[in-house]
Amino acid sequence: MENKIKITSFENGIVIKISGELDSSKVKEYRDSIHYYMRTLGPSYLVWDFSCLTFLDSSGVGLILGRYNEIERINGKMGLIGLNSYSRKILGISGLFSLMREYRSIKEFISEERIYL
């Protein structure tokens, strides 16, 4: 599977979909893309879609945590969707579930966080 990032927006938020591997070889490129969208759109909500993620290492966890810190500074919310058992295990070990929740879908995130589109 090709490694790529796709960022889409919804009212006051963005969805970041990572396909393939999220490791040290792609983190800088992905961080730059995400920063561009965050500066341009100023989202209060950020959702990671890992439904096509095949690998995640500590540098990928660091990318997620860094964006969490950015969203937290503006009292925003972050969520995770599309986790497979592997990525759920890595994120669980890293402790990220104490900072953000997993949702079944973007619709569930919007509903639970009371985002009105």
Side-chain angles (χ1 to χ4, degrees):
M1 175 179 282
E2 180 183 354
N3 291 336
K4 62 182 178 178
I5 184 171
K6 180 180 178 185
I7 302 173
T8 56
S9 64
F10 60 92
E11 189 168 326
N12 209 20
I14 60 175
V15 177
I16 300 168
K17 183 172 186 171
I18 306 285
S19 298
E21 299 180 355
L22 179 52
D23 60 17
S24 60
S25 70
K26 300 305 275 181
V27 165
K28 182 181 179 342
E29 174 188 339
Y30 291 174
R31 183 176 47 242
D32 291 346
S33 295
I34 295 165
H35 276 187
Y36 171 79
Y37 277 87
M38 290 183 79
R39 281 191 312 271
T40 303
L41 300 175
S44 295
Y45 302 99
L46 192 154
V47 178
W48 295 92
D49 180 349
F50 290 146
S51 59
C52 295
L53 187 72
T54 59
F55 180 79
L56 175 66
D57 71 5
S58 60
S59 59
V61 171
L63 176 70
I64 298 164
L65 184 58
R67 302 315 58 84
Y68 172 81
N69 290 333
E70 288 182 47
I71 288 292
E72 181 70 13
R73 277 194 291 269
I74 60 167
N75 295 315
K77 297 284 184 178
M78 182 182 287
L80 304 158
I81 62 172
L83 298 178
N84 60 30
S85 60
Y86 169 78
S87 56
R88 189 176 293 112
K89 180 179 179 179
I90 298 299
L91 294 173
I93 291 169
S94 72
L96 283 182
F97 287 126
S98 66
L99 302 174
M100 63 192 78
R101 289 189 44 214
E102 178 182 2
Y103 299 87
R104 288 184 301 251
S105 66
I106 186 67
K107 288 181 181 183
E108 182 182 48
F109 175 84
I110 291 168
S111 173
E112 299 242 346
E113 298 302 335
R114 295 178 181 83
I115 301 168
Y116 300 101
L117 301 177

